[in-house]
Amino acid sequence: MTTLQTVFAKAKADNRAALVGYLPAGFPSKGGDVAAAAALVEAGCDVIEIGLPYSDPLMDGPTIQDAVHRSLLNGTRIADVMRTVEGVAATGAATLVMTYWNPVDRYGAERFARDLANAGGVGTITPDLTPEESEPWRAASAAAGIDTVFLVAPSSTEERIKAVVDCCTGFVYAASLMGVTGARETVNVAAEGLVKRTRAHTDLPVCVGLGVGTGAQAAEVAGYADGVIVGSAFIRRLLDAPDEAAGRESCAALARDMATGVRR
Amino acid sequence: MAGNGAYGNDPDVHGKFGVFGGRFVPEALIPALDEVAAVYEKAKNDAQFIREFDHLLRTYAGRPTTLTEVPRFAEQAGGARIVLKREDLTHTGAHKINNVLGQALLTKRLGKKRVIAETGAGQHGVATATAAALLGLECVIYMGAVDCERQALNVARMKLLGAEVVPVTNGSQTLKDAINEAFRDWVTNVDTTHYLFGTVAGPHPFPEIVRDFARIIGVEARRQMLELTGRLPDAVCAAVGGGSNAIGVFHAFIGDENVALHGYEAAGHGLDSGEHALTLTAGSVGVLHGSRTYVLQDDEGQTIESHSISAGLDYPGVGPEHAWLKDSGRATYHGVTDDEAMQAFSLLARTEGIIPAIESSHALAGALVLGRELGPEATILVNLSGRGDKDMGTAMKYFNL
């Protein structure tokens, strides 16, 4: 199994940033999710985040909301998310689950961590779980041998950054801007400063997400971060494509562009 | 830790009422929540802030609101004595004005010029737009597209008051989705904007702040009941959606062990129909909108859409302090169906000349049942949280007027 540690070590050895792609489970369809993620891996993504569809995704912009809503309408359940993780992990990419807290809480933290590890998942990203509320989840994750990734934001004070990175294993997710998910014209200038501030508190890799949508932006972010996280730009291509095969090809083309970007 | 009081009157440092409350939000919002908490902590102990708030309540909101005894209505309650706390007589016609005036003053102290708010029935939106107009703040209101339609009059009022109303077309297009959208705006514009949260839910410190600004209802009512009847009521009744009017009236009575506290949630078409907003009576513990509380959710933690004839009660979550009051046994929560609420709505109008909000009608319906249980010696205080003008469209349809 590929772990986050091996991915970032390898990327570092290659003198490049890692490329992290996000797709929600059950989108564009059950089964189509693994195929789309596999296309991203084939095109150069090192890590795949599988989103656990949730009814109230308050950090997500319209593109991911739309995809997640469709996935829920398709009847996606946690067992499907685990199957998706299994399928994606089989491609050789380190596979994480990005999830809001309530579904994990309801499913049971220990059970979720165990099932995720059994499916080949290497960790989670939990955008609405604060360090103050995270202890039971970190304990469950440690017991199951999976990583816990939390977010820092441009508004975070030094004390908050320290508190967040102390809860992280695997890597730290730096939100590039104050806002919700979605590709933007430019990557916020706050991102580079945030990465620097974060590195002062940890030796863990720091990855930047929110707003990255082009190869050029990926290259720019790769200049100062250990990883580049892309979600909405891929999903937009799947949403706009006439069919799943065309969507996959379009995503793969973008991922190739991004993979070139992180190697510049 | 349950906080300082026996029933979690104040949350602990993490904003917890027992196991409920706390913060489950993106990290980007934590500094803003810390800032609001710090500014509020200072303000609530600042004599000038207290004076300003009190001045606005007296000269603008119309406080203290009166008590009205409703004997003809109470005939249907087995003769028990029923007394209404008349929040419907406040400026803008609902208890919401208390909280928005407090938070609008807080916005000034935060040095912010823009407020955003979510609204279901429109009362909180109208109140926020009113306070923003009064204090010269830019104002944007998020409202579910479904609610915009059923509360068109309130949409017009908000616009007239200078607010921008943004219809939310995600999800169930009701209050919960308006809250999601307001959070998205806040995380994007947090430097300039205060999220003027409308109920005692959400991440810490909102449940505490909204409660403190609403608790004037119970403080007045407790004193007025002693003046009117010479003793405390046997029971206090209030409708519960998010729970702000109920906490507002309950809070001053929490230490009075002989006063029973009864909250009434919207049972919609009935528990078995699956179309209801019975968060406390039929929900389970989970996390919604930044807080651990009771939630209508399925077995995998997906929020179940709620239903009520009253847009103001149509919410699948509830404030964490109510969750704590329920689990500690200090308050009891019941369901009232759409039909029961509408019967009480009509009864109060015909017997007392008061047209209540449909939200408040749930509490009135509950008081009728409670009165028959307690008998003619009992005195029941009902929080009449708002007036029914905004609900005339719904009433016309329901009663074929």
Side-chain angles (χ1 to χ4, degrees):
Chain A
M1 185 172 79
T2 314
T3 64
L4 290 170
Q5 207 178 358
T6 54
V7 167
F8 285 103
K10 185 171 180 302
K12 196 172 183 180
D14 295 347
N15 196 26
R16 66 174 178 92
L19 182 60
V20 183
Y22 166 94
L23 288 175
F27 175 81
S29 63
K30 280 187 186 174
D33 49 7
V34 174
L40 293 184
V41 176
E42 170 92 4
C45 280
D46 306 286
V47 178
I48 297 291
E49 281 178 34
I50 293 299
L52 191 154
Y54 175 53
S55 52
D56 294 88
L58 61 78
M59 200 185 153
D60 286 307
T63 305
I64 291 181
Q65 280 181 60
D66 188 1
V68 162
H69 184 63
R70 289 174 194 225
S71 174
L72 286 172
L73 288 179
N74 287 342
T76 303
R77 289 178 58 85
I78 292 174
D80 300 307
V81 176
M82 297 299 175
R83 273 194 291 275
T84 303
V85 167
E86 202 169 359
V88 177
T91 66
T95 308
L96 295 149
V97 164
M98 200 295 317
T99 180
Y100 289 91
W101 181 241
N102 197 46
V104 180
D105 193 55
R106 185 81 174 137
Y107 193 81
E110 286 173 15
R111 179 182 167 213
F112 192 95
R114 199 176 53 237
D115 286 0
L116 180 56
N118 288 339
V122 298
T124 56
I125 302 171
T126 45
D128 64 344
L129 187 64
T130 58
E132 291 80 0
E133 302 285 354
S134 70
E135 205 283 322
W137 177 235
R138 286 184 287 127
S141 295
I146 59 172
D147 285 315
T148 53
V149 176
F150 293 83
L151 279 72
V152 292
S155 58
S156 300
T157 59
E158 297 308 311
E159 293 75 26
R160 291 296 308 175
I161 291 176
K162 181 164 185 343
V164 172
V165 301
D166 283 351
C167 295
C168 289
T169 64
F171 67 91
V172 182
Y173 189 130
S176 71
L177 48 81
M178 297 298 290
V180 295
T181 56
R184 288 167 175 82
E185 297 278 309
T186 57
V187 178
N188 197 288
V189 290
E192 186 169 3
L194 178 60
V195 171
K196 273 191 192 143
R197 290 168 61 211
T198 305
R199 280 195 176 133
H201 295 281
T202 182
D203 293 328
L204 284 172
V206 181
C207 300
V208 169
L210 300 195
V212 184
T214 67
Q217 288 173 336
E220 184 193 330
V221 172
Y224 56 79
D226 301 296
V228 180
I229 305 170
V230 182
S232 296
F234 291 137
I235 291 166
R236 186 78 264 154
R237 295 205 167 198
L238 291 171
L239 285 167
D240 290 347
D243 57 52
E244 285 192 19
R248 273 199 304 276
E249 185 36 51
S250 179
C251 273
L254 180 61
R256 279 192 291 273
D257 193 22
M258 301 263 181
T260 308
V262 299
R263 286 171 171 80
R264 267 180 219 164
Chain B
M1 276 299 293
N4 302 330
Y7 295 102
N9 303 23
D10 282 308
D12 69 13
V13 290
H14 297 298
K16 291 287 185 73
F17 298 90
V19 300
F20 302 106
R23 284 177 179 170
F24 295 83
V25 292
E27 172 61 27
L29 288 178
I30 297 288
L33 291 167
D34 279 344
E35 184 189 20
V36 173
V39 170
Y40 175 64
E41 195 58 32
K42 217 169 151 190
K44 78 176 181 188
N45 295 309
D46 179 344
Q48 195 193 334
F49 182 86
I50 295 165
R51 260 199 314 276
E52 278 179 287
F53 182 46
D54 183 59
H55 178 76
L56 284 180
L57 289 181
R58 281 186 294 106
T59 64
Y60 190 74
R63 306 211 70 89
T65 57
T66 191
L67 293 184
T68 302
E69 191 158 0
V70 286
R72 282 175 27 82
F73 178 81
E75 281 173 19
Q76 302 296 315
R81 208 171 168 185
I82 296 183
V83 180
L84 307 183
K85 176 62 173 164
R86 299 292 304 280
E87 292 300 293
D88 60 315
L89 295 179
T90 56
H91 180 48
T92 73
H95 73 286
K96 296 286 187 187
I97 192 73
N98 307 308
N99 169 46
V100 298
L101 289 174
Q103 285 203 54
L105 286 178
L106 212 53
T107 306
K108 290 271 197 185
R109 292 214 160 197
L110 286 159
K112 294 179 176 177
K113 297 187 176 349
R114 178 175 181 264
V115 289
I116 54 171
E118 80 295 337
T119 196
Q123 284 309 96
H124 177 57
V126 168
T128 303
T130 300
L134 178 70
L135 295 179
L137 300 165
E138 187 191 337
C139 180
V140 175
I141 305 292
Y142 290 94
M143 188 168 184
V146 168
D147 291 337
C148 284
E149 201 171 310
R150 58 181 169 178
Q151 300 290 347
L153 185 63
N154 270 344
V155 173
R157 290 167 80 195
M158 287 183 261
K159 287 181 178 171
L160 202 59
L161 290 160
E164 180 190 347
V165 181
V166 181
V168 176
T169 53
N170 304 317
S172 58
Q173 310 191 14
T174 59
L175 180 59
K176 96 175 165 67
D177 308 287
I179 293 178
N180 290 335
E181 211 53 40
F183 269 117
R184 292 182 187 115
D185 180 315
W186 201 31
V187 77
T188 308
N189 301 299
V190 73
D191 285 348
T192 59
T193 301
H194 175 59
Y195 182 3
L196 209 160
F197 209 75
T199 191
V200 289
H204 173 65
F206 287 120
E208 183 185 0
I209 289 179
V210 178
R211 188 241 4 235
D212 286 356
F213 289 140
R215 71 187 293 278
I216 185 70
I217 304 168
V219 170
E220 285 176 6
R222 190 175 184 284
R223 175 173 48 77
Q224 291 167 323
M225 284 303 287
L226 287 170
E227 283 166 12
L228 179 75
T229 67
R231 63 185 189 90
L232 294 174
D234 297 293
V236 179
C237 299
V240 180
S244 65
N245 93 82
I247 282 290
V249 75
F250 284 175
H251 199 256
F253 294 97
I254 285 177
D256 301 316
E257 302 271 348
N258 293 328
V259 179
L261 305 176
H262 292 275
Y264 296 92
E265 301 189 296
H269 294 144
L271 177 61
D272 295 339
S273 72
E275 295 180 22
H276 58 76
L278 294 168
T279 310
L280 284 162
T281 36
S284 51
V285 176
V287 169
L288 180 66
H289 294 142
S291 179
R292 182 182 297 284
T293 184
Y294 279 85
V295 180
L296 290 181
Q297 58 182 334
D298 70 12
D299 62 338
E300 293 208 334
Q302 305 289 348
T303 310
I304 295 171
E305 289 177 13
S306 54
H307 165 82
S308 169
I309 193 167
S310 162
L313 301 183
D314 196 353
Y315 180 55
V318 66
E321 192 167 0
H322 283 293
W324 176 240
L325 288 173
K326 172 194 155 78
D327 274 19
S328 68
R330 179 63 189 94
T332 314
Y333 296 88
H334 322 256
V336 168
T337 64
D338 288 353
D339 290 341
E340 289 164 340
M342 293 312 286
Q343 281 161 24
F345 174 95
S346 166
L347 183 67
L348 190 72
R350 286 166 181 251
T351 56
E352 303 287 350
I354 299 170
I355 299 176
I358 298 177
E359 288 91 329
S360 319
S361 303
H362 286 71
L364 290 165
L368 291 175
V369 175
L370 190 63
R372 291 193 281 267
E373 280 171 19
L374 296 179
E377 302 303 316
T379 304
I380 298 170
L381 172 70
V382 180
N383 193 24
L384 198 76
S385 56
R387 66 179 185 224
D389 303 35
K390 70 184 170 66
D391 294 319
M392 286 317 294
T394 307
M396 284 161 72
K397 244 187 251 172
Y398 186 87
F399 293 114
N400 254 332
L401 301 173

